Amino acid sequence: MKNVIAIDGPGGAGKSTIAKLLAEKLNYLHLDTGAMYRAVTLAAIKDNIDFDDKKKLIKLANNISITFDENGEIYLNNKNVSEEIRSSEVNTHVSKIAAVKGVREILVKKQQQLAQENKVVMDGRDITTVVLPEAEHKFFLTASLSERAKRRYQEVKSKDKDADLEKIKQSIAYRDKLDSEREHSPLKKAEDAVIIDTTKLSIDEVLKKMISLIKGESQ
């Protein structure tokens, strides 16, 4: 699939940050699929839906509107929720939403349609393996658990003064376990994806490495 860059990896590896900057440099649309699951989670919280009620969650995912603007900002029913979906409450419940097969099927269709209609950089946890297995370029970003927890802590503490580094580390480790062991679309590296360990790399270093690979592969 030409003009499509797919990026996978665990939470806190820098996927969304890198994908957004990469899209800007290449003049592509950035699609953060994790944000889509977060938007469904936020909608479920607002509607007081039980996270164990899969039928209601699937119906909700089917009925709500999730869109992106040209800057990659995400809208839930035409309201910008880019900040709201990063709350600690959404963090706590998003894995349950992501594990529901019916919800994944609905969002995957939306993601595939967006990729067909645009030049995109799409990041998530099953993009290279399930959503866009035919993507022109595939990457798997990772980093140590400690480094990922530190990054997420920096992100969360600006919104939540009571953010706890150790709790965030435990939460990420738990999310890793759920994502890699879930029955539907588990987190794993595609055979042809390029692994980039971002633990000791700056954002600029990661970007330069990826752009170099993209340009080299397309020559």
Side-chain angles (χ1 to χ4, degrees), residues 30 127 210:
H30 169 227
I127 310 307
M210 292 177 76

Side-chain angles (χ1 to χ4, degrees), residues 5 24 37 54 62 64 81 86 90 94 115 140 142 183 201 209 212:
I5 299 166
E24 286 175 5
Y37 289 97
K54 293 182 180 180
N62 200 40
I64 59 176
V81 292
R86 302 294 169 185
V90 171
V94 66
F140 189 94
T142 188
E183 182 182 355
L201 297 178
K209 192 168 187 175
S212 174

Side-chain angles (χ1 to χ4, degrees), residues 49-182:
I49 293 175
D50 185 333
F51 285 97
D52 291 320
D53 192 333
K54 293 182 180 180
K55 285 186 177 180
K56 282 189 178 179
L57 292 173
I58 293 167
K59 184 177 179 181
L60 174 73
N62 200 40
N63 291 338
I64 59 176
S65 164
I66 300 175
T67 55
F68 292 87
D69 65 16
E70 65 277 4
N71 298 314
E73 297 279 291
I74 189 166
Y75 290 74
L76 172 61
N77 296 329
N78 299 316
K79 179 191 175 187
N80 190 327
V81 292
S82 300
E83 290 291 322
E84 218 175 337
I85 61 169
R86 302 294 169 185
S87 71
S88 57
E89 190 175 8
V90 171
N91 284 344
T92 300
H93 297 293
V94 66
S95 285
K96 279 195 171 182
I97 292 288
V100 178
K101 183 182 179 184
V103 172
R104 297 198 73 84
E105 288 172 345
I106 290 164
L107 294 189
V108 165
K109 283 182 183 177
K110 291 183 180 183
Q111 292 155 12
Q112 290 172 333
Q113 185 177 353
L114 287 165
Q116 288 169 355
E117 296 170 353
N118 303 275
K119 292 182 177 181
V120 301
V121 178
M122 191 179 292
D123 67 279
R125 286 170 167 77
D126 63 346
I127 310 307
T128 62
T129 55
V130 176
V131 183
L132 302 173
E134 303 302 319
E136 185 175 15
H137 304 289
K138 299 180 186 180
F139 296 95
F140 189 94
L141 300 189
T142 188
S144 69
L145 177 59
S146 295
E147 179 62 24
R148 290 188 286 129
K150 190 165 68 176
R151 292 173 185 171
R152 186 58 55 81
Y153 173 73
Q154 295 295 333
E155 176 187 309
V156 172
K157 78 171 185 177
S158 62
K159 309 180 189 73
D160 183 358
K161 291 180 181 178
D162 296 324
D164 182 292
L165 178 59
E166 190 55 37
K167 284 184 179 178
I168 288 172
K169 187 175 180 178
Q170 291 171 3
S171 175
I172 289 176
Y174 179 64
R175 178 86 196 264
D176 286 350
K177 180 176 170 62
L178 286 179
D179 288 340
S180 59
E181 294 179 357
R182 70 182 176 223

